[in-house]
Amino acid sequence: MGFKMRYLELKRKVKDVRMLAIQAIAEAGSGHPGASFSAAEIMGALYFHKMRHDPSRPLWDDRDYFINSKAHSAPGFYAALAVAGYIDFEEVKTLRKLGSRLQGHPVRYSELQKHHSFPGIEYSGGSEGIGLSVSIGIAIAKKSDGKRNRIYTLIGDGESNEGQIWEAAMSAPKFRLNNLVTILDRNKIQQDGFTEEIMPLDPVRDKWMAFNWNVFEVDGHKIEQLIDALNRVERLEDKPSIIIANTVKGNGIKHMANNPQWHGRAPPRKHTPILLEELQSEVMIAPSIIAGERENYEEKVRKAERGGADLIHLDVMDGKFVPNTTFFANKIRDLRKITSLPFDAHLMIEEPLKHIQDYIEARCDIITIHAEVCNEAEFLDINENLLKAGISPGVAINPDTKFPSWLYKHLDRIDVVIIMSVNPGFAGQKFIPDSLDKMAEISKELKKHNYHGYIEADGGIDATNLQQVFDAGARIMVAGNAVYGSADINSNIIQLRHKANVALERKLLEIATIKDIRNDWMKTRKHILIPLANELGIEEELHAIK
C-alpha cells in the first residue's frame, strides 16, 4: 500500500528503472528511451513513495490509479512496475517481442486481454491526448461514490498539442476534481523535434492557471521537489492540480539527453554494458555547510541550492567524540524550513542511540552514525528506528578504522557508507592520500557482498582529487572548502561536476576498449567527448573519427 521509501533507496530504485528500461529497449532494438528516462523520477515518486497500491492486490478497490497517457514511455513504465513488484525483471526484457505481454504501448489489463497485458496497467495508451479524459471519468466516478482514491495522470508536452487535452482541462475544474493530479513531463521534445519550434506550449503555467487548476512547477528530476508538490496537492480542495515537471528527455545518458534523435531510437545491444555503467555512476555533490567563511547557515544552504547541489551535508559534532562543536538537531529543524533539498546528517557524537530521535524529528533524510561509537546491538537499534521513520541509514568509519566485519550481514539495511578521508573534527583539512586505497578496497569488498547502496567520501574532496575518489568507488562527494572556499558557489559546484564527468568518460572509454567497441562508442559519444578531449588525451583519436 505504497512503499514510503527512504531517500537513497528511492534514488536507487529510480536508477534500477532506467537500467531495466534501457536493457529492454536495446534487446528489442526498438522503443522510446527519451520519454522513459525523462519520466523515471515521476514514476518513481508515485510508485515507490506516494501512491496507495499493492502489487499483491492490483485490483484493490482503494488503490490509487496511475494513467499513463504518455504511453510511448512504456519501457520505463514496465520497468517501474517490475521494480514495484508487479512482474519479474526478466519479463521486461521481452519488450515488443512476439507473444510478449509488453508491447510498444501498454494495454489495460482485463480477463479478455490477459495474454496481452498484466494486472497493474489501468489504461490502454497509444492515441495521444486521451488519457486525461479517461482520468476525469475515473475521478468523477470515485468522487460520486465517496471514495478516497486519487487518480494520477502522466501527460506529455508534445501530447499537449491535442485539443482533447484542453477540453478535458476545462471539464475537470467544473466537477471540482480535487482527487485528480496531472503531471506534465515537460521535456520540451516531441517526435519531430523541439516543442517550442513545432507548436509552442509556453506560457504553459499561465495556461493551466487560466483553466482554473492548482499549478505547481518543479524540477522533475529532483525527487524531493516532486514529493513536496505531491504532498501539497493533498491539502487542496475544490479543484484539480497539475504539476509541471521540468525534465530532460533521455536524462541519465549524456548523449541521449535533450537530443530529439533519441525520441524513439534504440541503442546498439553491444553498448548496453557501457550504458549500465553510466547509469550506475551518477555522482551527487553534498556541500558541507560548516566550511568556508563564517556566515549564517541559512545563507549557505540557499547558495548551495541555487548552485545545483544534490544534498546538504550536516556535520554534527558534540565536542566529545571529536574535539569541536558545531550544531545539533534544533538548528537542523530550523534549516529544514527553508529548503526541500535532502539533508545528509553525519552524526559525530557519542551515544547516538540516546539522541537519534531528535534527528529523526528534525526531518533529516539520511542519518549516518560512526562505527567507533556503537556495537552491533546498538547499531541495529538505531537502524531500526531510522528504517521505521523512512530515513536512509548510514555508517561512517574514520581513517584508522577497519570496516567492522559484523556490518557485512546487515548491508541490506544500510543505504550509505561514509569513508572518512580526513580525521573528523575540523573543516578545511587536507585529503589523506592513503584513504584512496582503503576506499577502493572497501568498495570492492562491499560489491562482493552484494551491497547496493552508496559510498560517500568525506573530507578534503576538491577538484584535484575528485577523479581519484570516483575511481576508488565513491559516488557521494562531500565538499567543504571546495564549495565554500570562494564566493562563487555556483562555479565551484560546476567545477566539481566537470571533474566527475571527466572521470566518468574515462571509465566508459576503458569499458569500450575492453569490449573492443572503442571507435564505435566514441562516434556515438563524440559531441560529449569533444569538450573533454584535452583532459582525456583523445584529441587525435576523435579527429580521426568520421
Side-chain angles (χ1 to χ4, degrees), residues 259-509:
N259 187 342
Q261 294 181 14
W262 290 96
H263 172 82
R265 175 183 168 193
R269 192 184 303 175
K270 62 187 176 182
H271 286 182
T272 301
I274 313 177
L275 300 175
L276 294 179
E277 184 64 40
E278 180 172 8
L279 291 170
Q280 291 185 84
S281 296
E282 177 192 12
V283 167
M284 287 183 271
I285 305 296
S288 172
I289 63 172
I290 67 169
E293 295 293 327
R294 286 190 175 272
E295 58 180 305
N296 69 66
Y297 292 128
E298 288 80 1
E299 186 59 23
K300 284 190 171 182
V301 170
R302 292 189 179 99
K303 285 182 177 180
E305 184 167 32
R306 289 195 297 267
D310 299 294
L311 310 169
I312 297 295
H313 189 78
L314 303 163
D315 289 302
V316 178
M317 303 182 190
D318 64 358
K320 298 174 184 176
F321 175 64
V322 292
N324 195 12
T325 303
T326 53
F327 45 76
F328 297 101
N330 57 340
K331 171 51 75 174
I332 296 175
R333 193 177 296 111
D334 290 341
L335 294 174
R336 182 74 283 174
K337 300 170 187 176
I338 67 172
T339 182
S340 63
L341 272 179
F343 278 2
D344 175 23
H346 178 187
L347 304 188
M348 290 176 264
I349 61 176
E350 290 185 350
E351 300 183 295
L353 184 57
K354 288 184 178 180
H355 306 287
I356 199 68
Q357 191 60 35
D358 293 337
Y359 295 92
I360 292 173
E361 292 174 3
R363 296 173 55 208
C364 299
D365 300 280
I366 306 160
I367 295 180
T368 303
I369 59 169
H370 269 262
E372 296 87 358
V373 294
C374 63
N375 56 34
E376 184 175 6
E378 291 169 332
F379 170 81
L380 289 175
D381 277 351
I382 293 168
N383 187 268
E384 186 64 26
N385 286 327
L386 295 178
L387 292 175
K388 283 182 180 178
I391 293 171
S392 284
V395 64
I397 56 174
N398 284 341
D400 295 330
T401 302
K402 291 184 178 180
F403 193 82
S405 58
W406 55 263
L407 276 170
Y408 284 116
K409 60 178 179 280
H410 304 302
L411 291 179
D412 61 334
R413 301 168 65 88
I414 300 171
D415 287 342
V416 63
V417 173
I418 293 182
I419 301 173
M420 295 298 296
S421 44
V422 298
N423 291 304
F426 296 95
Q429 296 182 65
K430 295 294 185 183
F431 182 84
I432 300 174
D434 289 348
S435 63
L436 287 170
D437 289 339
K438 178 180 181 180
M439 202 176 296
E441 181 182 341
I442 291 175
S443 176
K444 186 176 180 180
E445 196 64 27
L446 288 173
K447 283 182 181 178
K448 285 184 184 177
H449 286 80
N450 297 314
Y451 176 62
H452 297 294
Y454 291 84
I455 293 177
E456 180 170 338
D458 184 359
I461 308 299
D462 60 25
T464 68
N465 55 40
L466 188 144
Q467 293 180 55
Q468 295 170 289
V469 174
F470 177 96
D471 291 340
R475 294 296 179 264
I476 300 177
M477 309 292 184
V478 178
N481 279 358
V483 171
Y484 293 112
S486 68
D488 194 348
I489 305 300
N490 183 60
S491 293
N492 295 340
I493 293 175
I494 288 173
Q495 185 182 32
L496 292 171
R497 289 204 190 281
H498 172 75
K499 293 299 183 181
N501 286 336
V502 173
L504 171 65
E505 296 305 329
R506 182 175 287 115
K507 186 177 186 67
L508 300 184
L509 283 169

Side-chain angles (χ1 to χ4, degrees), residues 95-111:
L95 175 71
R96 293 194 168 198
K97 293 185 177 178
L98 287 175
S100 172
R101 299 189 294 174
L102 283 66
Q103 290 304 316
H105 292 85
V107 176
R108 179 180 179 272
Y109 178 78
S110 71
E111 281 299 305

Side-chain angles (χ1 to χ4, degrees), residues 30-51:
S30 176
H32 293 79
S36 296
F37 280 19
S38 63
E41 281 83 5
I42 296 169
M43 293 184 192
L46 289 172
Y47 273 98
F48 311 139
H49 184 85
K50 178 49 63 178
M51 284 172 53

Side-chain angles (χ1 to χ4, degrees), residues 86-99:
Y86 286 86
I87 55 171
D88 292 334
F89 278 30
E90 288 304 310
E91 186 172 1
V92 179
K93 298 174 187 176
T94 69
L95 175 71
R96 293 194 168 198
K97 293 185 177 178
L98 287 175

